[in-house]
Amino acid sequence: MKGYLTKFLPLVAAAALLAPLSAQQLNLQHSICFGDSLTHNDILGLVNFLPQDMYGMDPFEAMWEKGKGANATLNRYAIAGSRSQHLWAQITTYELAELLGFAPSGTCFNVEIGGNDFFSNDYICGANPPGTNAKADAVVDDLLARIHNTVTYLGLRRPSTEIILWTVPDITMVPSRWHFTATQRANLRAHIERANRRIRSYHNHPRVAVLDFYELHHLVVQNPPTLNGTTIQGPPVHGQYAFMHADDVHPTAVMNAYIANALAVTLNKKFGSNIGTYSDAELEFLAHL
């Protein structure tokens, strides 16, 4: 695990250089999560006929468990299958619950979205490079507009809170899209990278941290971690505890913990926090090794 984090640290350090020194301390006391199945994996075992513990905690929850204080709360409004167009419904659902006293006022907001925007438009984005098809370009334009509106709204309404953003994962690196041609992969990655360039720029804001999940995704697949002498196998295989993917899209429990570790490192660098990471022994337990 230490070697893996060492490989990831240059990515985190480069992003941290963008952060103004005035960044305030992260407060996870009342964390609120918006997103899709990457941060809402509680029903995936049932849907995919797999043991639910093969998925474990989602990465944000796993990080929060390491960093939470006494009496901390985590309220998740992420819903599996969500696209960026569903962000506003998640936010308004939370704010209604907050107004009625069923949810606390958030101190930290996690916003992870975008993968399903591309899953739903994979063939049109895969067939057309950026700038050649209006519908393909609109996938990115609409996603970025919704993320901007979300960050602006939360930032204006809640000036003392921190926001965590995720870059969009490379959907061509999951088992269900492993069959894509080189051209489809290149075009899809170009569209996703156009979105991610803008998302990464939010790290300049003193109250916003960005987990570069796209780069992390590539790093893990290209440099699979080894635990207890066993290399964690990546796509296209899936369906085992010691694989990267539980089903043909979603990470296993051990990979969610690896992502949680990277998220902790990112937040510690950005906000001067002291969130713990999962040890090799804990990772081995999750991978059933």
Side-chain angles (χ1 to χ4, degrees):
M1 188 267 287
K2 292 180 180 177
Y4 169 76
L5 281 178
T6 300
K7 291 177 181 177
F8 182 64
L9 278 173
L11 297 174
V12 178
L17 290 175
L18 299 174
L21 295 177
S22 58
Q24 63 189 43
Q25 182 72 30
L26 178 68
N27 185 352
L28 293 174
Q29 188 65 21
H30 298 304
S31 297
I32 310 296
C33 183
F34 305 120
D36 55 34
S37 56
L38 188 55
T39 46
H40 176 234
N41 65 358
D42 297 345
I43 62 171
L44 295 182
L46 179 64
V47 171
N48 294 294
F49 304 103
L50 292 168
Q52 184 58 39
D53 71 333
M54 189 178 290
Y55 295 93
M57 291 183 287
D58 71 71
F60 184 78
E61 180 184 13
M63 178 281 300
W64 179 83
E65 283 288 341
K66 288 291 187 178
K68 68 177 182 180
N71 303 314
T73 62
L74 171 59
N75 287 264
R76 291 179 291 170
Y77 295 85
I79 300 176
S82 292
R83 301 190 295 277
S84 61
Q85 68 194 66
H86 301 120
L87 267 178
W88 185 243
Q90 294 181 21
I91 293 170
T92 54
T93 299
Y94 157 66
E95 292 196 326
L96 177 61
E98 180 189 28
L99 179 65
L100 296 175
F102 298 126
S105 294
T107 60
C108 173
F109 290 86
N110 182 73
V111 181
E112 171 277 309
I113 204 72
N116 289 322
D117 293 54
F118 288 99
F119 277 125
S120 300
N121 295 278
D122 52 1
Y123 282 100
I124 191 167
C125 289
N128 300 279
T132 63
N133 182 281
K135 185 175 181 181
D137 289 341
V139 175
V140 176
D141 295 337
D142 292 345
L143 169 63
L144 291 178
R146 291 162 182 155
I147 289 176
H148 178 74
N149 290 341
T150 296
V151 173
T152 301
Y153 179 79
L154 292 176
L156 290 174
R157 291 263 296 169
R158 303 166 187 276
S160 63
T161 61
E162 293 85 24
I163 300 170
I164 302 166
L165 290 180
W166 298 43
T167 58
V168 181
D170 183 351
I171 69 164
T172 71
M173 298 190 79
V174 299
S176 67
R177 303 304 192 274
W178 204 250
H179 63 282
F180 275 17
T181 67
T183 298
Q184 288 174 311
R185 287 175 181 271
N187 288 339
L188 263 166
R189 287 173 178 172
H191 285 289
I192 294 171
E193 182 57 22
R194 185 165 81 88
N196 284 338
R197 280 196 299 271
R198 176 68 181 110
I199 294 172
R200 291 184 187 109
S201 72
Y202 285 100
H203 201 82
N204 290 322
H205 194 289
R207 289 171 41 225
V208 180
V210 176
L211 174 67
D212 200 336
F213 186 63
Y214 182 95
E215 293 295 338
L216 175 62
H217 196 179
H218 275 256
L219 175 66
V220 173
V221 173
Q222 294 167 2
N223 302 275
T226 298
L227 291 169
N228 198 23
T230 298
T231 299
I232 304 299
Q233 296 187 52
V237 300
H238 57 90
Q240 298 292 331
Y241 287 93
F243 290 175
M244 293 183 187
H245 293 89
D247 54 49
D248 61 0
V249 171
H250 302 98
T252 54
V254 66
M255 287 315 304
N256 281 326
Y258 270 119
I259 300 166
N261 282 355
L263 181 55
V265 171
T266 298
L267 298 177
N268 290 344
K269 286 282 186 179
K270 173 76 185 207
F271 296 113
S273 305
N274 190 30
I275 303 168
T277 57
Y278 288 83
S279 67
D280 284 352
E282 290 173 306
L283 295 169
E284 289 164 9
F285 177 81
L286 293 171
H288 287 205
L289 295 175

